Amino acid sequence: MIMKIKVFLWSCLIILMVSPLLAAEADCPVLVRQALDATNSLCEKTGRNEACYGNVLLQARPQVGVANFTFDQPGNIANVGEIQSLRLSPMSPDKGEWGVALMRLQANLPASSEQLVTMLSFGDVKLENAAPVPTTLTMQVLGRDFINVRTRANVNAGVVAVLEPGQTVTAVERLNDNSWVRIDVPDSGERGWVHASLLQTDSDIKQLNVSGSTAPSFRPMQSFYFESGADEPACTQVPRNGLIIQTPEGAGEVRFWVNEVKVSMGSTIYFQAQPGSNMTIAALEGHATVEVDGVIHTAVAGTQVQVKLDEQMHPASPPSMPEAYSMSDVENLPVNNLGREITIHPPLSDDEIAVLQNNQSNNGNGNNNSGQNGNDANTCVPPCDAPASSDPANSPAQNCPGNSCNSNGNGNGNNQNCPGNSCNAPGNNGGGNGNGNNDNCPGNSCNAPGHNK
């Protein structure tokens, strides 16, 4: 009799212990679904360079000097440029908490485009904005000549665009001595430098952020530090902590600097990162080109690339070769809450991985044939991996603004027909020549309107 009572008591104890676990397991999918549905509803009107508080619990810290900052309730929307950091809560079925935040970003997409990049963060995630608070100034082209927009603040730098007389542009940064200003190139999504003497404004250019000539320029949250918790999900059917970045269809490659790692993508990419461990960049569809210290590897759909990080979340080694991800790591990701619907690509087979790795091993530090290079893998748009002709109108190099086709990372090496890469854009290479002709361009094929800077 005593034995039966003991067995009964043990059975009751086990039931009492297991019941909360079963309840939590049952509650997890419901909590995830409710959180994502709430995010979809509350964040539907999130606009350009805005962040939305999707689901509890989030902690936000504003940039220094930002007043009247409110981002503490689901449905709150804030300017991304005013956010210094975000901390999202991990899954807690007992408390009904699972942090979700949505952002719509411009990154390097044209200002004239209505398309935006979607960034969805969920679970135990920390985000630190590495881009400064944006500054802008309206300026106008002086005189009657066309003027060059250059890759660097130097009259011998490559040309990314040409501005017309009287054209109005938006300046975003300046050199410390105010001699050059960096502008948003109209309708291209790129940024470039113009000599300040060629522009005019009624305002003081000293209100612009100071930047170095060769320093990259970031729009809000285009550069950030990111950390995700390494704990296993609280229960099944819960996405692993992390963030997803999705670029709009047909927009070409969009650039981000994540933990100081350069990532160029045209796709849907899932990120995880822990200090002293790895940052994982997984291509759920499309591709992501990852660069550290001039070494480039590309994750295609069904694969991931990893970068070793130090304790300060800085890259400690070049990116790994692409490898297949585990379907169990990605199958529960909230891809239905992005800007466009996708189907997560299944992991590549061993044979497919072998071919992919072999191709990247034999193509110069993992550079692919998209024309990207070790010095500026961001500015190239295919096809620029073919020799340039003497006529820019017939040259693939015309699709690579700036200095993106004149380094060894290009599919066919240096472009000898265009010294200084001056043949792939209107104008001359630092000129003063009245017609813009450049003697280094065979057949005087660079005769665009002349200008001095």
Side-chain angles (χ1 to χ4, degrees):
M1 181 68 180
I2 294 177
M3 180 62 69
K4 290 183 179 180
I5 293 175
K6 287 182 177 181
V7 170
F8 174 76
L9 291 175
W10 273 109
S11 299
C12 291
L13 180 60
I14 291 173
I15 291 173
L16 290 173
M17 294 173 60
V18 172
S19 293
L21 296 177
L22 294 176
E25 184 73 21
D27 290 344
C28 281
V30 174
L31 178 56
V32 169
R33 185 171 63 253
Q34 290 175 343
L36 295 176
D37 287 346
T39 300
N40 273 347
S41 176
L42 295 170
C43 301
E44 182 180 6
K45 295 183 179 181
T46 306
R48 181 187 302 268
N49 292 329
E50 289 185 337
C52 176
Y53 188 131
N55 195 67
V56 293
L57 187 64
L58 304 186
Q59 295 178 344
R61 181 164 56 93
Q63 296 269 23
V64 175
V66 174
N68 302 318
F69 179 80
T70 302
F71 199 74
D72 55 9
Q73 295 291 329
N76 285 166
I77 293 178
N79 186 321
V80 171
E82 296 181 351
I83 297 175
Q84 178 58 50
S85 65
L86 276 180
R87 176 67 191 267
L88 286 66
S89 65
M91 168 68 73
S92 176
D94 294 339
K95 298 179 180 179
E97 295 177 351
W98 187 55
V100 182
L102 177 75
M103 299 185 191
R104 304 286 190 195
L105 306 174
Q106 178 183 352
N108 60 292
L109 294 175
S112 60
S113 173
E114 295 183 358
Q115 294 182 312
L116 298 172
V117 177
T118 300
M119 181 189 292
L120 184 69
S121 307
F122 41 90
D124 187 5
V125 167
K126 300 177 185 177
L127 287 169
E128 188 81 17
N129 194 353
V133 178
T135 56
T136 61
L137 189 66
T138 299
M139 306 189 77
Q140 189 175 37
V141 176
L142 274 171
R144 294 179 295 177
D145 291 331
F146 290 77
I147 66 172
N148 280 330
V149 182
R150 300 188 177 276
T151 57
R152 292 175 288 110
N154 187 302
V155 294
N156 294 315
V159 177
V160 296
V162 171
L163 302 179
E164 299 177 357
Q167 186 170 358
T168 298
V169 296
T170 299
V172 294
E173 292 170 332
R174 61 182 172 91
L175 290 188
N176 190 51
D177 64 2
N178 304 321
S179 59
W180 290 74
V181 293
R182 187 179 238 154
I183 69 160
D184 278 326
V185 177
D187 301 328
S188 78
E190 298 298 328
R191 286 181 168 178
W193 291 93
V194 176
H195 199 274
S197 65
L198 303 176
L199 300 170
Q200 65 178 352
T201 180
D202 294 331
S203 303
D204 186 354
I205 67 171
K206 290 183 179 179
Q207 66 185 269
L208 296 175
N209 289 335
V210 175
S211 177
S213 174
T214 58
S217 183
F218 307 120
R219 292 191 174 94
M221 204 60 83
Q222 192 180 2
S223 175
F224 61 91
Y225 292 95
F226 156 71
E227 179 181 339
S228 58
D231 295 338
E232 291 292 320
C235 42
T236 60
Q237 300 181 27
V238 174
R240 293 173 177 268
N241 306 309
L243 68 82
I244 299 174
I245 298 178
Q246 184 183 74
T247 64
E249 189 170 4
E253 286 195 330
V254 177
R255 305 188 295 270
F256 284 89
W257 283 256
V258 186
N259 294 330
E260 300 182 12
V261 174
K262 190 181 296 184
V263 184
S264 303
M265 63 187 78
S267 47
T268 304
I269 306 299
Y270 171 52
F271 292 82
Q272 288 185 302
Q274 291 87 41
S277 185
N278 291 323
M279 178 166 70
T280 302
I281 302 107
L284 307 181
E285 56 100 26
H287 74 280
T289 298
V290 182
E291 179 182 356
V292 177
D293 294 334
V295 178
I296 303 173
H297 288 300
T298 299
V300 300
T303 71
Q304 64 187 23
V305 166
Q306 299 194 71
V307 176
K308 179 70 175 178
L309 301 176
D310 62 22
E311 293 293 338
Q312 287 71 47
M313 304 300 291
H314 302 151
S317 66
S320 69
M321 278 286 190
E323 61 185 13
Y325 50 59
S326 171
M327 196 64 193
S328 62
D329 289 342
V330 300
E331 60 186 353
N332 293 321
L333 294 177
V335 294
N336 294 328
N337 287 70
L338 304 172
R340 54 185 173 82
E341 294 184 4
I342 68 160
T343 299
I344 297 175
H345 199 286
L348 295 194
S349 67
D350 291 343
D351 290 342
E352 290 171 325
I353 290 293
V355 171
L356 179 64
Q357 292 182 347
N358 183 65
N359 287 342
Q360 296 196 22
S361 294
N362 293 332
N363 203 15
N365 282 338
N367 292 357
N368 60 23
N369 279 333
S370 68
Q372 293 173 332
N373 62 72
N375 291 333
D376 190 359
N378 301 311
T379 54
C380 236
V381 179
C384 56
D385 56 341
S389 73
S390 60
D391 180 3
N394 297 320
S395 170
Q398 67 178 327
N399 293 319
C400 296
N403 58 1
S404 55
C405 290
N406 62 347
S407 66
N408 292 328
N410 190 297
N412 288 295
N414 293 338
N415 184 347
Q416 300 301 325
N417 291 325
C418 293
N421 201 28
S422 55
C423 294
N424 65 343
N428 58 35
N429 190 22
N433 188 323
N435 294 321
N437 293 342
N438 187 329
D439 291 337
N440 291 322
C441 292
N444 282 334
S445 55
C446 291
N447 53 345
H451 34 79
N452 295 320
K453 290 279 195 259

